[in-house]
Amino acid sequence: MVVSFVGMKALEIGVKPVLHIELSSDVELLDEVVVTGYGNFKKSSFTGAASSVTTEKLQDVPSLSVQSKLAGAVSGVQITSTSGQPGAVESVRIRGMGSINASNDPLYVIDGVPMMTGNSNGFSYDDAGSSMLSNLNSNDIESMTVIKDAAAASLYGSRAANGVIVITTKKGMAGKTKFTARADWGFSNMAIDYRPILNGADRRDILYMGFKNYGLNSGMDETAATSLADRNIDSYAAEPWSGYTNWKDVLFRNGSHQNYEVNAQGGNDKTKFYSSLSYAKQDGITLQSAYERVTGRANLTHKAGRITLEANTLYSLSTQDVNNEGTSYASPIMCLAMTASPSTFPYNEDGTWSTKFPALNGANPLQTATYNYNKNKVNRFLGSVAATWNIWDNLNIKEVLSYDFNQSNSRAWWDPRSNDGRTAKGVYQRYMQNRSKFNTQTQLTYNKTIAEKHNLDILLGYETEDYELDYTYSNGSQYPSYKEEIANAGLTRSSSLKKGYRMVSYLGRINYDFDSRYYASASYRRDGSSRLSRDSRWGDFWSVSGSWRLSREAFMESLSEIISDAKIRVSYGLNGTQPTDYYAYMGLFQYGYNYNGFGGSAESTFFNNDLKWEKNHATNVGLDVTLFNKVSISAEWYNRDTKDLIMDKPISAALGIIDGNGTASKLLNIGSMRNRGFELEIKSTNIQNENLTWTTSLNLGHNKNTLTKLNGEQDQIISGVSIHKVGEPYYSFYAYEYAGVDPETGKEMYYVNKDGSRETTTNSALANKVIIGNVDPKVQGGLTNYIGWKFIDFNFTLTYSLGGHAYDYATWLQSNGGTYNYVGNVPSYYKMEETWQKPGDNAKLPQFAYGNKNINSSRWMMSTNHLRLKNMTVGFTLPQNWVRKAGIEKLRAYISGNNLLTWKSKDLYVDPEVPVDGLCTFETPALRTVTFGIELGF
């Protein structure tokens, strides 16, 4: 008798009265598929470095972000966000950063078509931004593949220097039409205790001590210093009529989340379809933070003889509400941490708005949040049609046409009663942007097996890409009332702009394998970009790669029961990056100048014929091993050298060419950078039987970033507490090295660090600044477990990061009693019992005294080491024999959470997923979200 099952090796056994049958996995049959956009390959035959993620187990994660599905799932991928507001832009880095002036984001390809990403909000001061990827319904995604090295990425040429994320959406299946309906509801709050502050009574006590210390430091005796504190304390720390105010309760709320979705898929042997419609709404934790989205998708495949037709369409309509962040005085985040102290209050006793806000020039933060707004409405259409003609045998030609259109309508109102709008008596801004990208692809493919052992796969292609951006901006001010339209303004101004670029590409690839043992691949792409001059326009990008499948060799047969599969991979290639500026090479005159009442122009840029592509040289060595048909291990070592980095080189301002900041510079290819590291992924099937399945996935990645060359004339550039220095990571911190508290004076001490000396001083002018650390973690990754037992499924992902740092750049808070501690808040780390009081004290904190100044030092650098329960889901599915009687195929209820728990240092008082540069001011922290959902299939 022969017993077989899909995904298992067939077993031939003799017939007996009682049989115990145990099938083993068929490694080749279950081989993971790597989707590259230019073809699909089995993992065993793929010679590059790529990781695939199926979204089936992550579809319940309550997040609007597509990138969140990758968090902790793929080694070498770092995901950070500038804001925890719904719909905000997220930063994704694959194997570190590779550019300074150009983009560091990967290329996103959806169903074989490159798509537009980034921020769709036109206002540059909007820190959160509106992510174009938030327009996608992540539950429409079947799988995502992260391409890391040049073996496959080089086929994308100038767009793939930072890696490629290939997204495959769900397609129809032949058979009965299946319908699925999903709904979930939930709530959100801060994932961490963000920048805790002293309560009103404790703040009053430490400010009182600060006044007293100020008097003693000025030469007063104890009685006079106490009298000084008594006279002044009520001006800064009085208890208001309503009691000390908890501004977290006033300016923040529990967020909410709801999502509704229905999809259908089905078809027959010739025509298959998938369609979905979804509605999602998420209210953030601030009064002005929300995101609402409607998406619709339709995917269709039809075969007619030798021709296969495909059509994929997406339409999305979204509206985003955001609050100001960073150091904006309208930011509720900054009000919570700094400017709205417990001694201030939102309402007077008569119910009118309070104006007692010394740190905000009298502007009431609740009043600002009530009247100001910043909204962005986005229409997104992404569609592609493709026709594949099987000319003969395995020779096919495919033509793809795609169009990506994004229209954003941004509106911002700064009320005259707010700081932003007070001087101008109200400001209203409108920003209408239209972005479009038209892409064509022609691909000729041929694959052939010769003598049963020689396998050949050839691709030739031609592509074009046309991008266009046009916008109109209008501004109104001097409003006689609170009606914000432009027509009501006393003063108006406007501007408009239209720009674009075009790229033409030729490409080819050849894959060869012999007897499923030896694999070789080579690719070549030639890109021509309108962003560069005719002499530098064309870039040549290529890769070579190969692998040796050891497990197919005769000398490995004795180990076959232990080592089920083993492969060594090597790749090397070159890809590139275009300049961000579409016209940087041109010598241009700019209009819009006013010469004594007459319009005019002035020279704005020199002709720059030398500007060329940034070059990314990538090497990868990998080892894949499968043990006992249960555990798969992938290890990677890589080196990524980026040369001809485009940087601003200072030039003489006497030539008359300066930018809007008054700086004279010229873009040149003069820098270089290196990223080098290793990655490890382990996946195991721990238990798999009729009732119980348990799988585990662990990954870790280490990347070391090094700046190897700046502009050729200097080896470092210092900007505040950031330093870009040759031989160091690009985002390094530069400040005095903190040496603790002087026991005699209570002042901060700093290391002198001169001539090898480790002497200390309380005078920062005598100390010297050094590199105190950098933002890059030493190791980061994730751990995922999935357990399915009968009708219960349980899935969770932990993410971790070790060795990285952040710098608290909210310097106003760090003065040990400076101005902003008195007119605003005092961070909770200023504890009186840990503060220096008298000579001889071995104190943790310096003396707190009115009038102190803040000094940037390593005291304010924070470790970002953390472990986070990124997501967790528990689901219950009723047995099919129960629900089928009611005509239902599936009925499942679940509870899911995102960012549920975070373990970090108590000295890290911001979210550990810090901005890319590591400088933290007042960003909305990540949200902890819990949802309850139900899924119905019929």
Side-chain angles (χ1 to χ4, degrees):
M1 181 172 64
V2 177
V3 181
S4 64
F5 188 76
V6 175
M8 314 298 284
K9 290 183 177 179
L11 182 65
E12 184 176 345
I13 59 173
V15 178
K16 299 178 181 179
V18 179
L19 295 173
H20 176 76
I21 302 172
E22 185 174 327
L23 301 181
S24 60
S25 300
D26 187 332
V27 175
E28 294 181 9
L29 186 59
L30 287 180
D31 206 355
E32 180 181 330
V33 175
V34 177
V35 182
T36 68
Y38 289 105
N40 301 342
F41 306 91
K42 285 186 176 182
K43 183 81 171 179
S44 60
S45 64
F46 188 64
T47 55
S51 298
S52 297
V53 178
T54 58
T55 59
E56 179 183 0
K57 296 181 179 67
L58 298 174
Q59 60 185 352
D60 304 324
V61 175
S63 175
L64 293 168
S65 166
V66 172
Q67 297 98 315
S68 66
K69 306 291 186 182
L70 294 173
V74 178
S75 62
V77 176
Q78 183 178 16
I79 301 173
T80 59
S81 178
T82 56
S83 171
Q85 296 191 64
V89 174
E90 290 184 296
S91 168
V92 177
R93 296 289 182 267
I94 299 176
R95 295 183 169 180
M97 64 175 293
S99 185
I100 296 175
N101 277 307
S103 172
N104 278 289
D105 289 328
L107 172 69
Y108 290 83
V109 177
I110 183 167
D111 294 326
V113 176
M115 63 182 296
M116 292 189 295
T117 58
N119 182 13
S120 65
N121 196 314
F123 298 129
S124 59
Y125 55 80
D126 180 3
D127 295 324
S130 295
S131 172
M132 291 193 217
L133 287 171
S134 292
N135 301 135
L136 301 179
N137 174 16
S138 58
N139 286 338
D140 285 336
I141 297 174
E142 182 73 30
S143 67
M144 291 186 283
T145 300
V146 180
I147 299 173
K148 307 174 189 178
D149 73 336
S154 289
L155 267 181
Y156 291 98
S158 62
R159 301 166 297 183
N162 301 303
V164 184
I165 296 179
V166 181
I167 298 173
T168 303
T169 60
K170 295 176 180 178
K171 303 295 188 291
M173 297 182 294
K176 177 185 174 182
T177 300
K178 295 182 179 181
F179 297 90
T180 301
R182 296 169 57 89
D184 58 70
W185 310 264
F187 59 88
S188 304
N189 56 20
M190 289 187 183
I192 62 163
D193 184 13
Y194 178 80
R195 288 193 180 276
I197 60 172
L198 295 180
N199 61 37
D202 290 343
R203 176 178 176 271
R204 180 183 175 91
D205 289 344
I206 201 167
L207 293 189
Y208 185 89
M209 181 181 70
F211 276 127
K212 188 175 177 180
N213 285 336
Y214 172 78
L216 293 173
N217 293 342
S218 301
M220 297 181 183
D221 59 22
E222 182 79 15
T223 301
T226 301
S227 177
L228 172 71
D230 289 337
R231 291 196 309 271
N232 288 280
I233 190 62
D234 283 338
S235 298
Y236 297 93
E239 182 174 356
W241 68 271
S242 55
Y244 287 118
T245 305
N246 184 338
W247 282 99
K248 193 171 185 178
D249 292 340
V250 175
L251 294 175
F252 293 81
R253 64 188 178 187
N254 281 330
S256 62
H257 172 93
Q258 55 182 307
N259 181 68
Y260 309 93
E261 178 184 344
V262 61
N263 65 62
Q265 58 180 332
N268 52 41
D269 292 339
K270 291 187 176 181
T271 304
K272 302 178 182 67
F273 71 91
Y274 171 86
S275 62
S276 71
L277 181 65
S278 70
Y279 169 80
K281 187 176 190 298
Q282 185 172 4
D283 291 323
I285 57 175
T286 66
L287 303 180
Q288 298 169 298
S289 176
Y291 190 86
E292 189 173 15
R293 182 193 69 198
V294 177
T295 62
R297 171 169 288 279
N299 294 345
L300 180 68
T301 303
H302 177 72
K303 290 186 177 180
R306 289 179 173 268
I307 296 177
T308 301
L309 302 175
E310 298 174 82
N312 301 303
T313 59
L314 162 74
Y315 174 74
S316 174
L317 174 63
S318 62
T319 302
Q320 184 189 34
D321 247 344
V322 294
N323 55 259
N324 286 17
E325 293 179 274
T327 55
S328 166
Y329 281 101
S331 165
I333 308 296
M334 191 169 80
C335 288
L336 171 69
M338 189 179 96
T339 54
S341 78
S343 292
T344 57
F345 46 94
Y347 301 104
N348 297 315
E349 292 185 73
D350 60 2
T352 58
W353 293 108
S354 169
T355 58
K356 185 177 173 58
F357 297 93
L360 294 169
N361 297 322
N364 188 320
L366 180 60
Q367 186 180 25
T368 297
T370 302
Y371 296 129
N372 283 11
Y373 63 79
N374 184 346
K375 300 177 183 289
N376 188 34
K377 186 175 183 179
V378 179
N379 281 279
R380 177 81 180 266
F381 172 82
L382 177 59
S384 65
V385 292
T388 303
W389 175 30
N390 177 225
I391 302 172
W392 167 75
D393 193 16
N394 294 321
L395 180 64
N396 296 284
I397 186 169
K398 183 177 182 180
E399 187 69 28
V400 182
L401 302 176
S402 70
Y403 184 67
D404 191 355
F405 177 77
N406 181 289
Q407 181 187 74
S408 63
N409 183 1
S410 305
R411 296 172 292 131
W413 167 245
W414 298 343
D415 194 271
R417 292 160 287 192
S418 69
N419 269 342
D420 294 317
R422 177 182 295 152
T423 302
K425 296 182 180 178
V427 177
Y428 183 64
Q429 300 173 83
R430 291 286 299 269
Y431 210 119
M432 177 71 80
Q433 293 186 104
N434 290 327
R435 292 181 178 87
S436 64
K437 179 185 287 188
F438 182 67
N439 177 267
T440 71
Q441 301 179 27
T442 301
Q443 299 174 13
L444 184 67
T445 60
Y446 180 72
N447 60 78
K448 183 70 173 178
T449 299
I450 304 171
E452 297 183 354
K453 290 189 176 182
H454 303 272
N455 300 294
L456 198 63
D457 177 17
I458 301 173
L459 165 72
L460 296 175
Y462 171 76
E463 293 186 16
T464 67
E465 182 174 289
D466 289 271
Y467 174 84
E468 185 177 279
L469 165 68
D470 70 83
Y471 71 77
T472 300
Y473 170 79
S474 57
N475 178 297
S477 59
Q478 300 295 325
Y479 281 83
S481 67
Y482 304 124
K483 303 297 183 182
E484 65 267 30
E485 286 300 332
I486 297 293
N488 299 329
L491 294 176
T492 62
R493 57 187 176 89
S494 64
S495 64
S496 63
L497 179 68
K498 182 177 180 180
K499 61 181 181 179
Y501 70 85
R502 191 165 199 262
M503 188 165 66
V504 175
S505 307
Y506 304 90
L507 58 102
R509 180 203 65 212
I510 181 169
N511 294 330
Y512 169 77
D513 82 76
F514 172 72
D515 196 24
S516 298
R517 282 188 292 169
Y518 310 112
Y519 301 84
S521 180
S523 68
Y524 171 77
R525 182 177 179 121
R526 183 169 173 81
D527 283 342
S529 173
S530 64
R531 303 189 196 185
L532 297 164
S533 70
R534 293 184 181 275
D535 295 337
S536 306
R537 180 157 296 168
W538 291 94
D540 298 301
F541 310 104
W542 52 270
S543 72
V544 291
S545 58
S547 63
W548 176 23
R549 199 172 182 188
L550 298 168
S551 55
R552 298 283 292 186
E553 299 292 349
F555 62 80
M556 293 288 291
E557 288 183 3
S558 61
L559 300 174
S560 60
E561 292 186 3
I562 300 173
I563 302 176
S564 312
D565 195 30
K567 183 178 65 171
I568 297 174
R569 295 175 282 107
V570 179
S571 70
Y572 180 80
L574 174 71
N575 45 33
T577 304
Q578 307 177 72
T580 302
D581 193 327
Y582 301 160
Y583 312 110
Y585 76 91
M586 294 183 177
L588 298 175
F589 281 77
Q590 182 175 338
Y591 291 98
Y593 294 93
N594 188 308
Y595 291 96
N596 197 27
F598 295 93
S601 66
E603 191 174 9
S604 58
T605 56
F606 289 122
F607 179 70
N608 193 353
N609 193 49
D610 296 328
L611 190 63
K612 55 188 178 182
W613 302 87
E614 293 184 348
K615 299 294 193 331
N616 193 75
H617 303 257
T619 304
N620 191 90
V621 179
L623 173 65
D624 301 324
V625 178
T626 302
L627 305 176
F628 306 106
N629 278 324
K630 288 186 175 182
V631 181
S632 64
I633 303 171
S634 291
E636 312 274 355
W637 177 88
Y638 63 88
N639 186 79
R640 178 185 176 201
D641 286 317
T642 307
K643 302 178 181 180
D644 295 328
L645 278 173
I646 299 173
M647 300 184 67
D648 286 301
K649 183 175 182 179
I651 61 175
S652 172
L655 300 174
I657 307 297
I658 59 174
D659 60 19
N661 298 319
T663 301
S665 63
K666 183 179 181 180
L667 285 176
L668 293 173
N669 299 86
I670 49 179
S672 61
M673 182 182 294
R674 169 175 294 163
N675 288 276
R676 178 178 290 175
F678 63 84
E679 298 165 359
L680 178 67
E681 291 187 359
I682 303 174
K683 298 179 181 180
S684 67
T685 301
N686 307 313
I687 301 174
Q688 186 169 20
N689 56 44
E690 183 180 356
N691 293 321
L692 179 63
T693 299
W694 175 23
T695 62
T696 300
S697 175
L698 170 69
N699 70 78
L700 62 87
H702 162 75
N703 180 77
K704 180 176 177 56
N705 172 267
T706 306
L707 185 63
T708 53
K709 183 182 177 183
L710 272 170
N711 60 17
E713 297 180 356
Q714 58 187 135
D715 65 353
Q716 65 182 34
I717 297 175
I718 299 172
S719 176
V721 298
S722 293
I723 184 171
H724 312 309
K725 181 178 177 63
V726 172
E728 299 290 339
Y730 183 77
Y731 288 120
S732 295
F733 304 128
Y734 186 67
Y736 297 113
E737 190 177 3
Y738 183 62
V741 179
D742 182 8
E744 296 304 314
T745 63
K747 294 182 179 181
E748 291 181 329
M749 294 191 299
Y750 312 98
Y751 288 108
V752 176
N753 286 320
K754 291 182 178 178
D755 300 323
S757 169
R758 294 289 285 172
E759 296 178 2
T760 61
T761 179
T762 58
N763 183 357
S764 61
L766 300 178
N768 62 307
K769 294 182 179 181
V770 295
I771 294 177
I772 57 175
N774 64 82
V775 68
D776 298 328
K778 303 298 183 186
V779 177
Q780 62 179 2
L783 172 68
T784 298
N785 275 272
Y786 172 79
I787 300 173
W789 179 73
K790 293 186 177 180
F791 59 90
I792 301 174
D793 60 271
F794 175 60
N795 185 64
F796 72 87
T797 296
L798 293 166
T799 58
Y800 65 89
S801 178
L802 300 171
H805 295 89
Y807 193 88
D808 187 358
Y809 210 34
T811 56
W812 312 272
L813 301 173
Q814 300 153 5
S815 54
N816 306 317
T819 300
Y820 277 100
N821 290 149
Y822 277 81
V823 298
N825 283 314
V826 180
S828 64
Y829 48 73
Y830 285 118
K831 294 180 174 61
M832 288 188 63
E833 62 272 17
E834 297 179 354
T835 302
W836 185 91
Q837 306 284 343
K838 63 184 184 305
D841 282 352
N842 188 16
K844 179 181 178 181
L845 299 176
Q847 181 192 57
F848 192 95
Y850 175 79
N852 277 346
K853 302 295 183 182
N854 61 282
I855 302 294
N856 286 323
S857 73
S858 58
R859 178 184 174 188
W860 308 111
M861 188 174 70
M862 305 170 288
S863 169
T864 56
N865 293 350
H866 74 278
L867 174 67
R868 170 166 276 175
L869 181 54
K870 192 64 180 179
N871 54 67
M872 184 176 71
T873 301
V874 180
F876 304 88
T877 303
L878 289 182
Q880 286 191 342
N881 58 342
W882 292 10
V883 298
R884 280 180 176 172
K885 296 177 181 179
I888 299 172
E889 290 292 325
K890 183 179 182 180
L891 181 59
R892 177 173 176 267
Y894 61 90
I895 178 173
S896 183
N898 202 32
N899 298 322
L900 292 175
L901 295 171
T902 303
W903 294 271
K904 62 178 182 61
S905 167
K906 62 182 179 62
D907 294 326
L908 178 65
Y909 32 83
V910 297
D911 195 89
E913 296 177 8
V914 298
V916 172
D917 61 4
L919 302 181
C920 302
T921 53
F922 304 107
E923 299 81 19
T924 303
L927 302 185
R928 177 192 293 116
T929 303
V930 177
T931 65
F932 305 86
I934 188 168
E935 180 181 356
L936 179 65
F938 52 92

